[in-house]
């Protein structure tokens, strides 16, 4: 037992201890914490769908008609009509032959990469890719070549070096929107490289789906190259407001994953209510209302970023609804987050290992539901606090 207490004391001494904050209300632009309302600036519920009446109705109806549990994994007896309907709807949305549901994005990335690649293969992975991609690469046993974040020249050098002694199949894998920096992958360059070097291309669009592109089909739609991505992974837990994940791909890739992806095979499938909420979310994202919500989100983002940049803050090249504010060291970062919470603003302080050492930040995420004046006031509070703190040292 001493080991556990020592580890905790050590984390605490280094300002690296993590803890859970209890949210006492539904997920909206404001949430209740310790009995008071706070402006929520750290949710992935970008379009405000987590408590949308259409999703709630769909979940309730499906739960009444089909129960709250799926009873088994898909390959046993848990492959219900709703799962198949949602997979058809995803494939149509993304323009692929078919799609496969996973229980969440973490399980999807682990299952997809482990299921399709093995020790004879090579995976080229961006240095800022999500932890679930990193874990999927480890599970696959493939050789992993990590290239510096969004550095296409460095990636090309790695590809051409590996080409001298080519073996196995190659995968280039990247986030579409990077979850800690809020910047976009230069997807057209990846498409060009994957074609030139005959590699597969996988994009994890957890933060781009629902938000980017005219119809909300994500980063690839934004850049006009949906049809060129071999493996389109996305999630339902963020802009879609619910829970779950998918891979949209060719029929043969999906058939192989049904046979190989361990996180798919050995886990109970998503419950009917969640699947029905996802169907409703998909329909909503691809509607006039979805478009209006995307526009509001973009307007809020613009307001917020302009205000921070006018005050000279570094937003790490963000061009999306994820807006980091660089604070560098753990102590000031966590102090600032705590003091903002006292002022009724909830956002997260991010430390290693989630980001590199010396790159701690406050990470704000915006919602279409925020009112412009709330966003401006929040930006002013953040600027004011960081200036106060700087004056203190
Ligand atoms: C959140 C996230 C995941 C994990 O998705 P969950 O459905 O929350 O498990 C995977 N990849 C990226 C880039 C993410 O941001």
């Amino acid at each position: 037992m001493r080991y556990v207490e020592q580890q905790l004391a050590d984390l605490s001494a280094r300002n690296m201890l993590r803890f859970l904050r209890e949210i006492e209300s539904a997920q909206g632009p404001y949430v209740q914490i310790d009995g008071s309302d706070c402006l929520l600036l750290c949710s992935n519920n970008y379009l405000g769908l987590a408590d949308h009446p259409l999703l709630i109705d769909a979940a309730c109806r499906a739960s009444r008609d089909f129960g709250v549990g799926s009873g088994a994994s898909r390959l046993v007896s848990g492959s219900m009509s709703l799962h198949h309907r949602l997979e058809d709807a995803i494939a149509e949305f993304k323009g692929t032959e078919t799609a496969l549901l996973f229980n969440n994005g973490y399980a999807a990335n682990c299952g997809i990469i482990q299921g399709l690649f093995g020790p004879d293969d090579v995976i080229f992975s961006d240095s800022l890719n999500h932890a679930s991609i990193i874990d999927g690469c480890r599970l696959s046993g493939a050789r992993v070549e990590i290239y510096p974040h969004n550095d296409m020249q460095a990636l090309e050098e790695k590809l051409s070096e590996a080409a001298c002694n080519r073996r196995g199949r190659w995968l280039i894998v990247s986030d579409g929107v990077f979850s800690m920096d809020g910047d976009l992958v230069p997807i057209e360059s990846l498409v060009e490289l994957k074609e030139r070097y005959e590699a597969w291309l996988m994009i994890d669009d957890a933060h781009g789906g629902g938000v980017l592109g005219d119809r909300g089909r994500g980063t690839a739609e934004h850049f006009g190259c949906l049809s060129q991505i071999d493996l389109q992974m996305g999630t339902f837990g963020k802009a879609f407001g619910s829970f779950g994940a998918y891979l949209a791909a060719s029929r043969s890739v999906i058939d192989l994953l049904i046979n190989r992806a361990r996180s798919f095979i050995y886990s109970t499938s998503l419950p009917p209510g969640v699947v029905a909420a996802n169907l409703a979310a998909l329909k909503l994202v691809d509607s006039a209302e979805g478009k209006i919500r995307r526009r509001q989100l973009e307007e809020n983002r613009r307001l917020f970023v302009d205000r921070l940049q006018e005050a000279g803050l570094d937003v790490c090249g963000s061009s999306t609804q994820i807006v980091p504010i660089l604070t560098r060291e753990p102590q000031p970062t966590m102090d600032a987050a705590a003091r903002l919470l006292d002022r009724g603003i909830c956002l997260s302080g991010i430390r290693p290992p989630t980001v590199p050492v010396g790159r701690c930040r406050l990470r704000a995420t915006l919602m279409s539901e925020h009112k412009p004046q709330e966003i401006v006031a929040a930006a002013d509070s953040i600027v004011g606090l960081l200036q106060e703190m700087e004056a203190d040292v």
Side-chain angles (χ1 to χ4, degrees), residues 66 69-85 87 99-101 258 264 267-270 272 275:
F66 297 101
S70 68
S73 64
R74 293 286 297 280
L75 282 166
V76 180
S77 61
S79 194
M80 301 173 76
S81 300
L82 278 168
H83 295 112
H84 293 266
R85 269 182 56 204
E87 286 169 344
L100 186 66
L101 287 171
I258 291 172
F264 174 86
S267 193
T268 303
S269 61
L270 289 170
V275 180

Side-chain angles (χ1 to χ4, degrees), residues 174-176 185 187 190 201-205 229 231-233:
S174 177
D175 284 16
V185 67
I187 208 167
L190 287 188
L201 178 58
M202 171 169 169
I203 299 292
D204 169 348
D205 217 12
I229 317 300
L231 306 170
Q232 301 188 49
M233 179 273 186

Side-chain angles (χ1 to χ4, degrees), residues 141-154:
R143 182 173 122 211
V144 182
E145 294 285 341
I146 296 167
Y147 60 90
H149 176 52
N150 272 351
D151 186 338
M152 295 298 111
Q153 200 177 332

Side-chain angles (χ1 to χ4, degrees), residues 20 30 82 129 131 138 145 161 244 289 295 299 353 370 387:
L20 298 174
Y30 281 88
L82 278 168
N129 274 345
R138 288 179 184 156
E145 294 285 341
E161 207 171 288
E289 182 180 343
R295 196 178 317 128
E299 280 165 17
H370 290 134
Q387 284 169 351

Side-chain angles (χ1 to χ4, degrees), residues 44 103-107 109 130 132-133 175 177 179 204 206-207 233 235-238 243-245:
N44 304 321
N103 285 353
N104 53 56
Y106 187 91
N109 281 335
H130 192 263
S132 54
I133 295 178
D175 284 16
V177 174
S179 49
D204 169 348
H207 291 283
M233 179 273 186
T235 68
F236 286 108
K238 290 171 178 152
F243 186 68

Side-chain angles (χ1 to χ4, degrees), residues 187-204:
I187 208 167
E188 293 149 305
S189 306
L190 287 188
V191 166
E192 203 262 310
L193 286 173
K194 83 113 187 166
E195 278 167 4
R196 181 135 46 95
Y197 286 92
E198 293 174 15
W200 298 50
L201 178 58
M202 171 169 169
I203 299 292
D204 169 348

Side-chain angles (χ1 to χ4, degrees), residues 15-16 18 21 41-42 44 179-181 322-337 347-365:
N15 270 301
M16 299 294 272
R18 297 170 184 233
R21 203 159 39 205
L41 273 185
C42 55
N44 304 321
S179 49
M180 291 302 135
D181 287 49
I322 300 171
V323 184
I325 303 154
L326 196 66
T327 46
R328 301 189 190 280
E329 298 308 319
Q331 170 100 50
T333 305
M334 301 321 284
D335 284 354
L347 47 63
S348 34
I350 310 278
R351 296 163 287 181
T354 311
V355 292
V357 172
R359 299 287 292 171
C360 292
R361 63 202 60 189
L362 295 170
R363 176 178 180 270
T365 53

